């Protein structure tokens, strides 16, 4: 089960709204959705969580590029919403790189050229694997009172509530849960 909400910072504090991500196909779409929540170009946080598995924070400040933090990249990679956040840049990959094997370099016996059958799965798959660790901007909420250590220490089952509480927005977030 997923939960997604927008927290928009205003002169009067934080305003929350739940959001439907079914029509969001790219990170750019998500950033545009966040920008629509704050016509004054204030900070908007997109908070996404998959029950007890992972959470993500996307921060949009006006027209700047979105900043992203994902608590567990491997868990997020197994979900449609997580895949929106896990860009090649965030994962340290060459943009547009193909993650699969080069089919032209495979021998008829199923191994790559120059690779013995005993080495199968040792090298290439680990390099392309998505880590079971946080990825992204660990200082995404630093100026809002949540440092890197606090962010990394959050459990996926209550992370969004803890973030909202630290921001002074727990009541407004609960209204959209």
């Amino acid at each position: 089960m997923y939960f997604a909400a927008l927290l928009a910072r205003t002169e009067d504090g934080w305003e929350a709204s739940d959001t439907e991500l079914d029509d969001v196909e790219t990170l750019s779409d998500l950033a545009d959705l966040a920008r629509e929540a704050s016509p004054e170009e204030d900070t908007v946080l997109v908070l996404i969580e998959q029950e007890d598995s992972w959470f993500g924070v996307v921060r949009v400040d006006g027209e700047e590029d979105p900043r992203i933090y994902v608590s567990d990249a491997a868990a997020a990679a197994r979900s449609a919403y997580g895949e929106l956040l896990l860009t090649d840049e965030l994962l340290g990959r060459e943009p547009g790189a193909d993650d699969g094997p080069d089919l032209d370099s495979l021998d008829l016996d199923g191994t790559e050229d120059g690779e013995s059958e005993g080495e199968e799965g040792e090298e290439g798959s680990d390099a392309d694997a998505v880590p079971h660790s946080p990825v992204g901007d660990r200082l995404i909420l630093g100026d809002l009172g949540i440092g890197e250590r606090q962010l990394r220490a959050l459990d996926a089952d209550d992370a969004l509530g803890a973030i909202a509480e630290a921001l002074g927005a727990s009541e407004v977030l609960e209204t959209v849960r």
Side-chain angles (χ1 to χ4, degrees):
M1 177 143 146
Y2 293 93
F3 172 73
L6 297 172
L7 281 180
R9 190 178 199 177
T10 67
E11 291 177 4
D12 301 326
W14 292 94
E15 292 181 6
S17 58
D18 61 343
T19 187
E20 188 62 45
L21 298 179
D22 290 341
D23 295 331
V24 175
E25 296 180 7
T26 65
L27 181 58
S28 293
D29 293 344
L30 187 60
D32 290 342
L33 182 69
R35 287 183 185 103
E36 290 172 11
S38 178
E40 301 296 319
E41 295 191 6
D42 290 321
T43 298
V44 178
L45 302 176
V46 181
L47 305 174
I48 303 171
E49 71 180 357
Q50 181 181 4
E51 193 172 281
D52 299 335
S53 181
W54 66 274
F55 71 92
V57 178
V58 178
R59 179 176 177 161
V60 179
D61 293 301
E63 291 300 317
E64 293 181 24
D65 288 340
R67 296 166 54 192
I68 305 164
Y69 177 83
V70 176
S71 67
D72 184 336
R78 292 187 296 267
S79 76
Y81 298 133
E83 286 180 348
L84 284 173
L85 308 180
L86 298 174
T87 63
D88 287 336
E89 182 181 334
L90 192 70
L91 295 173
R93 295 180 180 159
E94 191 68 34
D98 183 15
D99 295 334
D102 180 6
L103 298 180
D104 294 332
S105 67
L106 294 179
D107 285 335
L108 292 176
D109 67 357
T111 61
E112 294 184 32
D113 288 339
E115 179 180 291
S116 72
E117 290 182 35
E119 295 173 340
E120 188 175 331
E122 286 180 13
E123 201 171 310
S125 62
D126 288 342
D128 293 333
V130 177
H132 281 281
S133 62
V135 295
D137 185 349
R138 291 179 173 96
L139 299 175
I140 192 169
L141 301 173
D143 64 325
L144 300 174
I146 302 171
E148 177 181 356
R149 292 178 71 183
Q150 292 93 350
L151 189 60
R152 289 182 58 110
L154 295 175
D155 289 327
D157 62 338
D158 188 38
L160 300 190
I163 290 170
E165 185 174 325
L167 298 175
S170 56
E171 288 182 22
V172 295
L173 183 64
E174 284 304 314
T175 62
V176 298
R177 269 202 190 256

